[in-house]
């Protein structure tokens, strides 16, 4: 039990609120929609915003987005997004696992996938907004 908590703490501390803010702003700019809640994890966990993002990058790539229903139906959105992202050109190693998003087990991996999707969109000549994030490098004296 203590190991499980230690792993969760390590994942939590890897989260980068600035990366999450940049990812959120990019998704909102591309989709033209605000997140349904200020809670980043909660807004992404059902895959609806991710599917909408994918459809803006490549129209029709997610043919049906489940916006309501039982958790199983909503969880299907994650798989639809994952398939569409890989088909769009995101490397499979950069696509998160469903539990990372739906069960909120590793939201940092979801954020990294969004960054990878942005890079892929630029390679695919997407003319819309770009994800704007400057990596803060450590300063050494």
């Amino acid at each position: 039990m203590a190991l499980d908590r230690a792993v969760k703490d390590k994942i939590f501390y890897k989260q980068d609120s600035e990366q999450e803010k940049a990812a959120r702003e990019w998704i909102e700019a591309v989709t033209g929609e605000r997140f349904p809640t200020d809670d980043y994890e909660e807004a992404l966990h059902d895959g609806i915003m991710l599917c909408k993002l994918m459809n803006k990058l490549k129209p029709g790539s997610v043919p049906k987005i489940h916006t309501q229903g039982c958790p199983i139906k909503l969880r299907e959105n994650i798989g639809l997004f994952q398939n569409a992202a890989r088909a769009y050109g995101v490397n499979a190693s950069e696509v998160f696992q469903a539990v990372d998003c739906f069960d909120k087990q590793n939201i940092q991996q979801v954020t990294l996938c969004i960054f990878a999707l942005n890079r892929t969109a630029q390679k695919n000549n997407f003319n819309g907004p770009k994800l704007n994030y400057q990596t803060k490098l450590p300063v050494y004296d």
Side-chain angles (χ1 to χ4, degrees), residues 21-78:
K21 180 177 183 274
R24 176 189 181 136
E25 289 172 353
W26 182 63
I27 292 169
E28 289 179 340
V30 172
T31 63
E33 294 185 33
R34 304 250 326 130
F35 271 30
T37 175
D38 287 334
D39 183 330
Y40 179 78
E41 290 177 300
E42 184 63 28
L44 295 178
H45 102 100
D46 60 13
I48 294 171
M49 289 299 292
L50 294 171
C51 288
K52 288 179 178 183
L53 171 63
M54 212 49 249
N55 277 340
K56 290 291 185 175
L57 296 173
K58 185 175 180 193
S61 59
V62 179
K64 177 162 177 45
I65 301 171
H66 303 288
T67 57
Q68 56 189 355
C70 65
I72 301 276
K73 279 290 183 198
L74 295 174
R75 189 179 179 116
E76 284 179 20
N77 290 333
I78 303 295

Side-chain angles (χ1 to χ4, degrees), residues 41 45 75 78 97-106:
E41 290 177 300
H45 102 100
R75 189 179 179 116
I78 303 295
Q97 299 296 310
V99 295
D100 294 337
C101 189
F102 194 80
D103 297 337
K104 304 176 192 171
Q105 289 190 8
N106 189 351

Side-chain angles (χ1 to χ4, degrees), residues 117-141:
L117 183 58
N118 170 68
R119 287 191 308 274
T120 303
Q122 302 318 309
K123 288 178 190 170
N124 290 344
N125 298 313
F126 176 65
N127 291 324
K130 293 178 176 64
L131 199 154
N132 187 15
Y133 176 77
Q134 298 295 321
T135 304
K136 295 175 184 78
L137 299 175
V139 176
Y140 299 102
D141 293 326

